[in-house]
Amino acid sequence: MVEMALEVDETNSDAHRWMAIISNGLSQAQGIRHQLQNLPNMKEHLLRAVELNPRDNTALTLLGQWALELKDMAWYQKKIVSALFGGIPHSTYEEVVEYCSRAEEIAPGSWSRNLFLLGRAYTRLGDRRQGRFYIEKTIEQPVHTHDDKLVAEQAEEFYKKEYRGPS
């Protein structure tokens, strides 16, 4: 269905965002090899969605998540991916901050996942004040969905590990 929408109108930003989401879900169901092979395709569709609609805060958050998950991959996973696929897409914590900050400017506090990604990225960049701010803000968000609940739990664990653990 989404492929048909893109065939009819390649400039449909929503179709590009949904293509990224659906292709990611499908590749996850097919296993890690398919998921890794889908990474460039997913990013391409998310970038196109943002190019066509710069105010698409969902696509921006998903780009931030894409970059953070790649950057946080364990070194041995990166070695395996490089051996199997000849390389791994490049990402940085600065990209995460850029994408997620833009999403936050567009729709402040609308998605706890975006706040959590900002907190994690700032923490990894060594800006513990900003990191803590966004992690605490994530924890304070009201829980309306299953995703909100999952993110709140992850944020609490992250906070305990990074900000309350042994010094």
Side-chain angles (χ1 to χ4, degrees), residues 13-87:
S13 66
D14 293 335
H16 280 284
R17 179 179 5 94
W18 279 107
M19 187 66 166
I21 292 168
I22 291 169
S23 70
N24 184 55
L26 180 60
S27 68
Q28 283 179 340
Q30 294 173 327
I32 190 72
R33 183 179 195 91
H34 290 280
Q35 191 174 0
L36 294 169
Q37 287 173 325
N38 186 56
L39 287 173
N41 180 54
M42 183 180 174
K43 185 177 184 183
E44 179 183 320
H45 282 290
L46 290 171
L47 286 171
R48 184 70 172 132
V50 171
E51 177 186 334
L52 294 167
N53 178 7
R55 299 195 50 80
D56 187 339
N57 64 303
T58 301
L60 286 163
T61 296
L62 293 173
L63 276 166
Q65 183 169 337
W66 182 93
L68 186 69
E69 288 179 4
L70 277 179
K71 188 67 181 159
D72 278 354
M73 234 185 216
W75 68 269
Y76 66 88
Q77 291 172 318
K78 290 179 182 177
K79 291 280 188 197
I80 293 168
V81 171
S82 292
L84 290 174
F85 302 109

Side-chain angles (χ1 to χ4, degrees), residues 95-119:
E95 284 178 287
V96 178
V97 169
E98 177 191 338
Y99 293 136
C100 293
S101 293
R102 285 174 52 197
E104 193 61 20
E105 287 172 18
I106 294 164
S110 67
W111 195 4
S112 58
R113 178 168 301 280
N114 192 65
L115 297 170
F116 184 45
L117 293 168
L118 277 167

